[in-house]
Amino acid sequence: MTNDRLLHETQSALTRHWALTPLDGKKPIRSNWSKEPALELPELLAHVRAGHNIGLRTGSTSHVAVLDFDDASTLEAAEAKLGFKLPPTPVARTGSGKLHVYLQAPEGLRNSASRIAPHVDVRGDGGQVVLPGSIHPDTGEPYTWLVTPDEAPLAPWPEALLRRPAASWARDELEAAITLVAASEPGTRN
């Protein structure tokens, strides 16, 4: 069965000049996907018609960065993790119910995992996210737009995230863990 939603999203992404890559579930199928020239529409549509997903290549290739919230299912929860309100920008719900917040990619932004906040990953240069319209390989649920790129253009990368020291949250987490261990009963500190 052809995924008409993903066919539409693939075509729309290419009109935005977003670089795409074919996926097997959530993983790119091409070995040099992050460095190869952007694929053309016919090859991508053939991949979708064969029942596969499409990924958006993030960073300078598409001028898109994504905040990937692994434990937030609402925009309010995502903003609480960051400590500030996000500007209007495209937002997608993943097939597992979490959030992807799409923003303009600042020059040189790289991928990171939990550096800006616990369970918040950054997809920048050399990264990719599953394009809305694709189907999550584990849940069978689609990735969907909550706010489409037509409803809100990509907002600039938040200045607060450019200034945030990567180690500040780690220091807070370490201090909390030390306090927890110090307060635990002898024999339960492992």
Side-chain angles (χ1 to χ4, degrees):
M1 182 172 151
T2 300
N3 183 339
D4 291 334
R5 186 86 210 123
L6 184 53
L7 289 172
H8 170 77
E9 292 297 342
T10 299
Q11 291 172 325
S12 295
L14 289 179
T15 63
R16 294 182 196 104
H17 305 286
W18 291 358
L20 305 176
T21 190
L23 303 178
D24 178 13
K26 298 183 350 178
K27 296 181 181 176
I29 62 169
R30 300 167 76 92
S31 61
N32 201 28
W33 66 271
S34 66
K35 294 179 177 39
E36 69 183 6
L39 297 180
E40 299 291 327
L41 183 62
E43 185 175 1
L44 293 164
L45 294 182
H47 187 73
V48 172
R49 288 186 182 111
H52 300 289
N53 288 338
I54 297 292
L56 165 65
R57 292 169 52 186
T58 55
S60 59
T61 302
S62 297
H63 305 290
V64 177
V66 175
L67 289 172
D68 179 358
F69 291 87
D70 292 334
D71 66 351
S73 58
T74 66
L75 191 54
E76 293 77 17
E79 291 171 337
K81 288 191 74 60
L82 295 175
F84 61 88
K85 187 165 176 52
L86 289 161
T89 197
V91 178
R93 182 174 313 285
T94 70
S96 62
K98 306 308 179 204
L99 290 185
H100 285 169
V101 176
Y102 289 63
L103 299 155
Q104 292 175 20
E107 189 66 35
L109 182 71
R110 300 177 60 171
N111 295 322
S112 66
S114 294
R115 291 182 86 183
I116 61 169
H119 307 287
V120 180
D121 299 337
V122 172
R123 298 292 174 243
D125 287 341
Q128 65 90 20
V129 293
V130 179
L131 188 69
S134 296
I135 304 299
H136 194 285
D138 299 329
T139 67
E141 295 295 321
Y143 286 67
T144 57
W145 290 114
L146 298 177
V147 179
T148 71
D150 294 330
E151 295 170 321
L154 293 172
W157 186 260
E159 186 68 29
L161 294 181
L162 291 174
R163 292 189 316 262
R164 182 174 291 183
S168 68
W169 75 265
R171 184 176 45 255
D172 294 343
E173 292 293 311
L174 178 60
E175 288 173 3
I178 290 169
T179 301
L180 179 66
V181 170
S184 59
E185 296 293 321
T188 63
R189 293 183 177 150
N190 288 340

